Amino acid sequence: MTVQKSVRIGNASGFYGDRFAAVREMLEGGELDFLTGDYLAELTMLILGKDRLKDPKAGYAKTFLRQMEDCLGLAVDKGVKIVTNAGGLNPHGLAVALRELADRTGIDAGIAFVDGDDLLGRAADLGLGKPLTANAYLGAFGIKSALDAGADVVVTGRITDASLTVGPAAAVFDWDYDDLDALAGAVVAGHVIECGAQATGGNYAFFTELPLRESRAAGHIGFPIAEIAADGSSVITKHDGTGGAVTVGTVTAQLLYEVSGPRYLGPDVTTRLDSITLGQEGPDRVSISGVRGEAPPETTKVSLNHLGGVRNEITMILTGLDIEAKAELFRAQFLAALPALPQQINWELSRLDRADAQTEEQASALLRCVARDSDAGKVGRAFSSTAVELALASYPGFSMTAPPGNGSPFGVFEPGYVDAALVEHRVAFPDGVVERIDPSPLRTRVEPDVSDPQSVTATTDFGPTELQPLGRIAGARSGDKGGSANIGVWVRDPQHYAWLEETLDAELLAELLPEVHGLTIHRHRLPNLLAVNFVIEGVLGRGVADNVRFDPQAKGMGEWLRSRPVPIPRSFL
């Protein structure tokens, strides 16, 4: 491919279920060289694994195939190449379906696919147990090879999300494994755009400051674009006329999403998040520069999903007086009446009620009971029907949010690690030739980042303080990392950061969020982003598909933190 000044890489999907029309919007909205789509998450791999159990030909994101039925010809006409991980557990199957689509519609499109990530057949030999799915996170060089060979569409299985962006940039600029800084810069750009509209104002802490409601276009948030240069530096932007905004704040928020310490490990490069420099270059244009890369780790991360059993739940409505007593009465009656006690049963009473309420809903609390067992019979319809049988014999005002239902299977996610040399990363070119992609020859042992002490000593006098919600001056973005959660907290003024760094330590976080008290909390400083990032181990149990927490993916945990009062210097307010 001809080397050029910069390459425009857009994104049209941040998850399986994102806005269907985004592919056409991105293709019609302006100039692009590549369009990417991220369809995979830890939970998605479990969903696709269940699909594959029912039909061995399934296992890929069917939504993407429908989008290509609508837009493949448009992409080819505009010269935009498509790169996506929608192949999921069956990239070959998706590639075949795309080739059939192209033949049926008379579209001349070269389809390639990348696989080798699926380790299920070798899981036991690799020490990974007997999971439902086992997929290694591949890097970008299989995508690069496919594009170098002239592919118009590249579908992959489980690659790192950022590789969707790194692969096209590496192909355009002919990067190799030793171009560590350039690769790291593209990783950062890819991490920013991989979650779609989260980079352009979606899920943004300071959303009230953005033009999200003034017009139909403003409310319809546009998807992001990364303009990447030959040295790996980039500008994040979006198509003109689309809603949302691209600011240093929206980019910072996404950079803090689902990360840990300063070192961001990947199969091609270890990216130093503490080297990033952001700049507002103009309206909806944020530059990313100065990113440094180091050698990647020796091992490759593997996404493992296991079937955990069957789960069922009921939610009772408790209204008016004596809420605690009503909850205790129902718990005792329900447990005594159950035909068989499940292996695990969890109760959660949410006191949403208030005194002297003006509506019945405001006078009500919710009692949620979740049961799990390997025996479907213990948590099937008989479980939830037991609650209904108590309807005329329990607390006053007895009511449920839903009728009895059957239990549903649930899964358990865990990460695994294998020697990168044991993963057979392959690319199948449009002409059918298959090539193996060797892992980076620079692989090395990467020492884990050292987190800050649990308690930080304040040494600066910031003047008189006032008890106010942390969110008055700080933004936050949170998310799940397997059974752990991360909360990235940032401010927009260097002086505010000096206070944040000295004030918000792991000890204070546990006080502000009592649900995490007693858990291991790591704090990492990212001064270049005016941010601190917390990783809370085990708060999500065994992952989103298994845990029964109110917010199973920790998406709202950062906003909960922002709502908690802390003594903020009055000069900041």
Side-chain angles (χ1 to χ4, degrees), residues 47-298:
I47 294 170
L48 295 177
K50 292 179 181 178
D51 289 346
R52 190 171 62 176
L53 283 177
K54 299 175 184 176
D55 179 5
K57 295 181 180 179
Y60 57 79
K62 297 176 182 178
T63 299
F64 173 76
L65 183 59
R66 298 201 334 264
Q67 288 170 315
M68 288 299 97
E69 289 174 352
D70 178 52
C71 294
L72 179 58
L74 176 61
V76 171
D77 289 344
K78 294 180 72 70
V80 178
K81 295 180 182 293
I82 307 291
V83 181
T84 178
N85 60 14
L89 299 177
N90 189 6
H92 175 252
L94 178 56
V96 169
L98 287 168
R99 287 169 183 162
E100 292 173 348
L101 168 64
D103 291 342
R104 186 171 66 250
T105 55
I107 299 171
D108 184 13
I111 313 296
F113 68 92
V114 175
D115 70 355
D117 59 297
D118 194 338
L119 305 181
L120 186 61
R122 297 191 288 149
D125 293 338
L126 294 172
L128 301 174
K130 297 181 179 180
L132 172 66
T133 68
N135 296 82
Y137 285 81
L138 304 180
F141 281 87
I143 295 171
K144 177 185 183 299
S145 291
L147 294 171
D148 287 344
D152 299 295
V153 181
V154 184
V155 297
T156 78
R158 176 71 280 182
I159 63 171
T160 67
D161 299 341
S163 290
L164 295 169
T165 298
V166 179
V172 169
F173 302 119
D174 198 28
W175 293 335
D176 207 340
Y177 286 114
D178 58 357
D179 293 305
L180 291 175
D181 289 346
L183 291 169
V187 165
V188 171
H191 180 58
V192 171
I193 72 171
E194 72 191 33
C195 286
Q198 281 196 167
T200 54
N203 297 348
Y204 182 54
F206 300 108
F207 73 97
T208 58
E209 301 176 9
L210 301 181
L212 301 180
R213 293 173 295 179
E214 283 78 357
S215 67
R216 186 180 183 278
H220 201 63
I221 296 179
F223 276 63
I225 298 167
E227 298 175 351
I228 302 178
D231 64 354
S233 62
S234 63
V235 171
I236 306 300
T237 185
K238 62 185 183 68
H239 284 321
D240 292 339
T242 57
V246 180
T247 69
V248 168
T250 66
V251 172
T252 297
Q254 179 55 27
L255 283 173
L256 295 173
Y257 185 58
E258 296 180 346
V259 298
S260 297
R263 288 180 173 85
Y264 189 71
L265 275 62
D268 301 322
V269 62
T270 296
T271 301
R272 294 298 301 243
L273 300 180
D274 53 358
S275 65
I276 300 169
T277 298
L278 302 180
Q280 193 76 47
E281 298 297 307
D284 295 323
R285 293 185 63 81
V286 171
S287 63
I288 301 175
S289 61
V291 184
R292 296 291 174 261
E294 299 173 345
E298 297 172 318

Side-chain angles (χ1 to χ4, degrees), residues 160-474:
T160 67
D161 299 341
S163 290
L164 295 169
T165 298
V166 179
V172 169
F173 302 119
D174 198 28
W175 293 335
D176 207 340
Y177 286 114
D178 58 357
D179 293 305
L180 291 175
D181 289 346
L183 291 169
V187 165
V188 171
H191 180 58
V192 171
I193 72 171
E194 72 191 33
C195 286
Q198 281 196 167
T200 54
N203 297 348
Y204 182 54
F206 300 108
F207 73 97
T208 58
E209 301 176 9
L210 301 181
L212 301 180
R213 293 173 295 179
E214 283 78 357
S215 67
R216 186 180 183 278
H220 201 63
I221 296 179
F223 276 63
I225 298 167
E227 298 175 351
I228 302 178
D231 64 354
S233 62
S234 63
V235 171
I236 306 300
T237 185
K238 62 185 183 68
H239 284 321
D240 292 339
T242 57
V246 180
T247 69
V248 168
T250 66
V251 172
T252 297
Q254 179 55 27
L255 283 173
L256 295 173
Y257 185 58
E258 296 180 346
V259 298
S260 297
R263 288 180 173 85
Y264 189 71
L265 275 62
D268 301 322
V269 62
T270 296
T271 301
R272 294 298 301 243
L273 300 180
D274 53 358
S275 65
I276 300 169
T277 298
L278 302 180
Q280 193 76 47
E281 298 297 307
D284 295 323
R285 293 185 63 81
V286 171
S287 63
I288 301 175
S289 61
V291 184
R292 296 291 174 261
E294 299 173 345
E298 297 172 318
T299 58
T300 294
K301 183 179 177 181
V302 183
S303 171
L304 300 171
N305 281 288
H306 303 264
L307 287 178
V310 179
R311 178 170 63 194
N312 204 346
E313 66 179 81
I314 56 172
T315 301
M316 313 306 299
I317 303 173
L318 314 174
T319 305
L321 303 176
D322 304 320
I323 295 295
E324 299 284 348
K326 289 172 179 174
E328 183 55 37
L329 173 61
F330 178 79
R331 276 195 293 260
Q333 290 180 313
F334 181 73
L335 292 174
L338 277 175
L341 195 64
Q343 290 172 339
Q344 294 181 334
I345 190 163
N346 297 86
W347 296 89
E348 182 179 6
L349 177 61
S350 298
R351 294 300 304 264
L352 308 176
D353 56 301
R354 65 187 69 175
D356 193 23
Q358 298 301 302
T359 68
E360 184 177 343
E361 185 175 13
Q362 292 174 352
S364 300
L366 298 177
L367 177 63
R368 181 169 173 249
C369 176
V370 182
R372 291 172 289 193
D373 203 293
S374 56
D375 181 353
K378 292 184 180 180
V379 288
R381 182 171 290 271
F383 169 83
S384 51
S385 294
T386 299
V388 176
E389 293 173 0
L390 294 170
L392 304 183
S394 190
Y395 62 87
F398 182 103
S399 183
M400 300 174 65
T401 60
N406 298 317
S408 58
F410 71 93
V412 176
F413 168 84
E414 64 176 343
Y417 297 89
V418 298
D419 186 331
L422 299 177
V423 179
E424 297 179 1
H425 186 175
R426 298 182 298 264
V427 54
F429 300 117
D431 62 4
V433 173
V434 176
E435 175 183 286
R436 176 165 177 168
I437 305 298
D438 292 327
S440 170
L442 305 179
R443 302 188 315 281
T444 187
R445 177 177 173 80
V446 177
E447 295 296 330
D449 291 313
V450 178
S451 58
D452 295 336
Q454 292 294 294
S455 180
V456 178
T457 303
T459 59
T460 306
D461 182 7
F462 293 97
T465 61
E466 184 175 323
L467 201 62
Q468 290 285 341
L470 176 63
R472 284 289 302 276
I473 66 167

Side-chain angles (χ1 to χ4, degrees), residues 16 44 67 115 172 214 358 456 460 498 505 507-508 517 529 533 560:
Y16 193 7
T44 311
Q67 288 170 315
D115 70 355
V172 169
E214 283 78 357
Q358 298 301 302
V456 178
T460 306
D505 54 20
E507 192 174 79
L508 178 57
H517 184 76
L529 299 178
N533 186 53
W560 178 26

